[in-house]
Amino acid sequence: MNYNVAVVGATGMVGRKFVQVLEERNFPVDKVYFFASKRSAGTYIPFKGENVIVEELKEENIKNKTIHFALFSAGGDTSLEYAPVFAKYNAIVIDNSSAWRMDPEVPLVVPEVNPEDIKWNKGIIANPNCSTIQAVVALKPLYDKYGIKRIIYSTYQAVSGAGMGGFNDLKEGLNGEAPKKFPRPIANNILPHIDVFTENGYTKEELKMINETKKIMHDDNLKITATTVRVPVYYGHSESINIELQNEYNIEDIFSLYKNAKGIILMDDVKNLIYPTPIDAEGHDEVYVGRIRRDFSIDNGLNLWVVADNIRKGAASNAIQIAEYIINEGK
Ligand code: A2P
């Protein structure tokens, strides 16, 4: 069977990647429907050699269609309003915004980590934050084998994570223009600030990493802290992850664990200067792990360096992998 797929926010950074990844992975598509704001309605986006019209997102344009999957990346407010509309007309919504992620009625899914949560969806499934996705893919094998007590995340995140606006701020900033999306210049600079600051001094991005990791791992007792940082890189988030495991380990076992882990490419041979960088991960759906080493300052401490393409595994590809899982394994 082939499926009808809607892409909501099709003209955006992640929306365009949805379209590309649907083509590349040869997703079993019958019809595609592209939605964006009124501004883009009437423009065309090519899909498999044909130009598909972009429609304005409104109920009128949804209700007369059979849509099996709706892939959303058009901001939180749009998701809050329109995900229930698509679900009402029997689509399964896979939403890339943060709007539904912490809703107890909505599963938050990374297929390599918690595919079992897909089955209790009620029409909406949330795609986690880009930084969380790559982190939990790397943490899952450790969690299952040794248990995890505490995690310290420090991120180095690409500008494309802030959409077209973020991308343009770096591009134009390198030509001396003032930023429009970010509050401070990102060209030749780094900003310890992603999403808005909250009362307790953490940014929302940091709280997303903390809360989403616990939800995906089904473990509220995990102790987690995070510092999330924007760097002048177009594509690919990097993360230093410091982990305190519950149980003793030996370092050779960690290497073999990652050699065989689902969705992970081990890139760790420092004698030959092999470690993952954003350029290595760009264009790929796997999570890259390297710089594996013991943290000698605590018992059972471990350091990892984790890199992934934030627009692919961190967003579009993860959502499409969720849809593929539903097709292959059932809801
Ligand atoms: P548009 O291009 O018509 O503004 P990005 O994250 O790269 O900035 O992309 C955001 C995506 O979300 C775009 O496709 C944008 O469409 C879409 N979008 C933004 N606001 C709305 C809205 N109110 N209704 C539908 N789509 C929206």
Side-chain angles (χ1 to χ4, degrees), residues 8-16 35-41 54-57 73-75 77-78 81-82 160-165 181:
V8 179
T11 51
M13 184 66 81
V14 174
R16 284 170 189 277
F35 294 96
S37 76
K38 208 172 174 172
R39 289 181 292 274
S40 314
V54 176
E55 299 179 66
E56 182 185 350
L57 184 64
S73 192
D77 292 342
T78 306
E81 188 177 346
Y82 281 97
S160 55
M164 292 288 191
K181 172 83 182 175

Side-chain angles (χ1 to χ4, degrees), residues 65-82:
K65 298 182 171 78
T66 300
I67 294 169
H68 300 103
F69 294 103
L71 308 173
F72 265 66
S73 192
D77 292 342
T78 306
S79 294
L80 277 180
E81 188 177 346
Y82 281 97

Side-chain angles (χ1 to χ4, degrees), residues 53-321:
I53 194 157
V54 176
E55 299 179 66
E56 182 185 350
L57 184 64
K58 53 181 179 182
E59 184 158 355
E60 227 175 284
N61 288 338
I62 301 163
K63 70 177 182 203
N64 50 7
K65 298 182 171 78
T66 300
I67 294 169
H68 300 103
F69 294 103
L71 308 173
F72 265 66
S73 192
D77 292 342
T78 306
S79 294
L80 277 180
E81 188 177 346
Y82 281 97
V85 177
F86 278 85
K88 184 172 84 182
Y89 294 110
N90 297 315
I92 295 180
V93 173
I94 305 173
D95 179 36
N96 193 52
S97 82
S98 59
W100 298 96
R101 289 183 192 147
M102 296 312 293
D103 186 320
E105 300 284 300
V106 173
L108 181 66
V109 176
V110 179
E112 294 89 336
V113 181
N114 62 332
E116 69 281 4
D117 286 331
I118 291 172
K119 65 177 178 296
W120 54 267
N121 87 78
K122 299 185 172 78
I124 304 174
I125 298 169
N127 210 36
N129 168 270
C130 42
S131 298
T132 310
I133 293 176
Q134 66 184 74
V136 294
V137 169
L139 290 170
K140 173 73 173 168
L142 298 173
Y143 188 91
D144 287 349
K145 185 155 185 199
Y146 303 101
I148 294 178
K149 252 195 215 168
R150 180 167 187 246
I151 302 162
I152 304 173
Y153 290 132
S154 309
T155 72
Y156 305 75
Q157 299 183 216
V159 292
S160 55
M164 292 288 191
F167 190 91
N168 290 336
D169 266 12
L170 175 55
K171 200 163 156 229
E172 287 155 13
L174 288 169
N175 296 326
E177 283 187 40
K180 296 188 185 81
K181 172 83 182 175
F182 299 123
R184 306 267 289 270
I186 188 63
N188 298 314
N189 205 6
I190 63 171
L191 310 179
H193 170 194
I194 300 181
D195 208 331
V196 298
F197 284 100
T198 68
E199 282 291 294
N200 62 15
Y202 283 77
T203 61
K204 269 199 182 163
E205 184 82 353
E206 288 159 352
L207 300 181
K208 284 178 213 165
M209 286 196 83
I210 294 168
N211 296 328
E212 292 178 20
T213 299
K214 292 179 184 180
K215 178 166 176 178
I216 295 164
M217 303 295 241
H218 307 131
D219 188 347
D220 280 337
N221 294 323
L222 274 174
K223 292 187 196 314
I224 311 175
T225 189
T227 303
T228 59
V229 178
R230 190 76 69 193
V231 297
V233 166
Y234 288 113
Y235 294 106
H237 288 354
S238 305
E239 300 175 353
S240 157
I241 309 184
N242 177 262
I243 306 144
E244 186 179 354
L245 296 169
Q246 302 266 13
N247 295 302
E248 285 178 16
Y249 71 89
N250 71 58
I251 202 82
E252 292 77 23
D253 289 343
I254 305 281
F255 276 82
S256 37
L257 201 57
Y258 282 125
K259 239 178 239 153
N260 302 309
K262 235 171 74 196
I264 289 179
I265 293 178
L266 175 65
M267 232 179 132
D268 194 329
D269 179 9
V270 288
K271 284 199 191 77
N272 291 305
L273 306 186
I274 291 181
Y275 45 77
T277 69
I279 287 174
D280 300 305
E282 189 180 333
H284 299 280
D285 289 337
E286 291 84 7
V287 171
Y288 290 71
V289 176
R291 298 294 323 275
I292 298 170
R293 64 213 189 277
R294 185 175 289 278
D295 172 359
F296 295 106
S297 72
I298 46 166
D299 289 341
N300 310 325
L302 181 70
N303 282 309
L304 300 181
W305 177 249
V306 177
V307 184
D309 185 323
N310 57 305
I311 302 295
R312 291 187 67 108
K313 185 56 186 166
S317 302
N318 194 73
I320 289 169
Q321 287 165 336

